[in-house]
Amino acid sequence: MTDPDEDDFLNRLHGVEHAEFVRPSDADPARAPEQCAECGSRDVRPIHKMRLYALFLALVFGVGLAVDQTLAAFLLALAGSIFFVIGPRWRCAACGRKW
Ligand SMILES: [Zn+2]
């Protein structure tokens, strides 16, 4: 006779493995999600990060050059780049959720 707790554990383990196997094609960041995971709305819009990023870089280097602090500007741009890379890509127009 098998321990029911052990069966539950194995089932869960299999479920996790399956989820990991499915994930790469499922959550393709380049493709727009069909709906919001929070409220189910299909009104999902892309956040135009590149436009904001270009503006941010122009501002940082503009100010950096003006005050002769190009190294500080470079470091700030680097920190900003990380922020833009990890920042949300999609926004739900219905509930405002970003991911
Ligand atoms: Zn939503």
Side-chain angles (χ1 to χ4, degrees):
M1 186 180 153
T2 50
D3 181 7
D5 285 342
E6 197 180 319
D7 278 356
D8 189 42
F9 173 74
L10 286 173
N11 281 340
R12 223 175 292 170
L13 199 70
H14 180 74
V16 168
E17 273 176 10
H18 182 65
E20 269 175 354
F21 179 72
V22 168
R23 202 171 295 145
S25 57
D26 223 25
D28 185 358
R31 207 181 52 198
E34 280 196 7
Q35 61 185 60
C36 172
E38 193 75 25
C39 68
S41 166
R42 289 183 177 273
D43 199 359
V44 174
R45 295 168 189 188
I47 296 171
H48 299 292
K49 280 202 294 188
M50 289 320 287
R51 220 185 297 169
L52 256 161
Y53 185 47
L55 193 73
F56 167 75
L57 286 185
L59 199 75
V60 165
F61 281 107
V63 172
L65 285 171
V67 298
D68 203 20
Q69 291 289 329
T70 43
L71 180 66
F74 174 75
L75 291 175
L76 195 62
L78 204 66
S81 301
I82 294 166
F83 170 79
F84 275 99
V85 164
I86 63 167
R89 246 171 244 246
W90 308 103
R91 185 177 67 87
C92 171
C95 73
R97 179 178 180 264
K98 291 176 184 173
W99 70 96

